[in-house]
Amino acid sequence: MRQFYRIDDDGYYIEPIVLDAAEEPAGNIYTDPDTGLKYELPPNTVIDSFPDGLFRPRFIDDAWIEGATEEEIEEWTRPRQQEPTAIELIAQQVTDQELSDMEQWQTITDQEIRLAALEGKA
């Protein structure tokens, strides 16, 4: 068994594939130089693994290159804001309600002060 790499028609990496050695390969044949085993490679198969650090590996002109644009890399590497937990959501709702209550009490207090001022003039 040996691992190879499947690419699409544009050279972008799709997935690893593992092939067993074939006794009598018929199509595209790869002979492992270390073991002498022969492998029949399906179309769009690359022998060499791609280097670490590529975001979107692409095989062009017998070499692996970065296939992602700078914009894609920025999007993928930008820190994500985590979704709030259920407890955080409930805490925010409680805080919002408390603020609303405080605003209502302030309005009531303002009205009472105005009423007291009007009653004092009468």
Side-chain angles (χ1 to χ4, degrees), residues 38-106:
K38 296 181 184 301
Y39 296 88
E40 185 171 348
L41 301 178
N44 291 350
T45 300
V46 176
I47 298 163
D48 302 321
S49 63
F50 52 86
D52 289 338
L54 296 179
F55 288 89
R56 190 173 181 208
R58 187 175 187 194
F59 195 75
I60 300 290
D61 298 327
D62 294 328
W64 287 104
I65 63 168
E66 178 59 69
T69 65
E70 294 215 14
E71 292 81 16
E72 289 173 324
I73 294 171
E74 285 179 25
E75 175 68 25
W76 295 333
T77 58
R78 185 174 61 233
R80 302 280 182 236
Q81 185 176 6
Q82 291 183 333
E83 293 294 320
T85 65
I87 292 173
E88 291 170 330
L89 289 172
I90 292 170
Q92 184 61 51
Q93 290 172 347
V94 169
T95 301
D96 292 345
Q97 185 61 52
E98 288 174 347
L99 288 172
S100 176
D101 291 349
M102 288 171 48
E103 289 172 357
Q104 288 177 354
W105 280 111
Q106 184 63 49

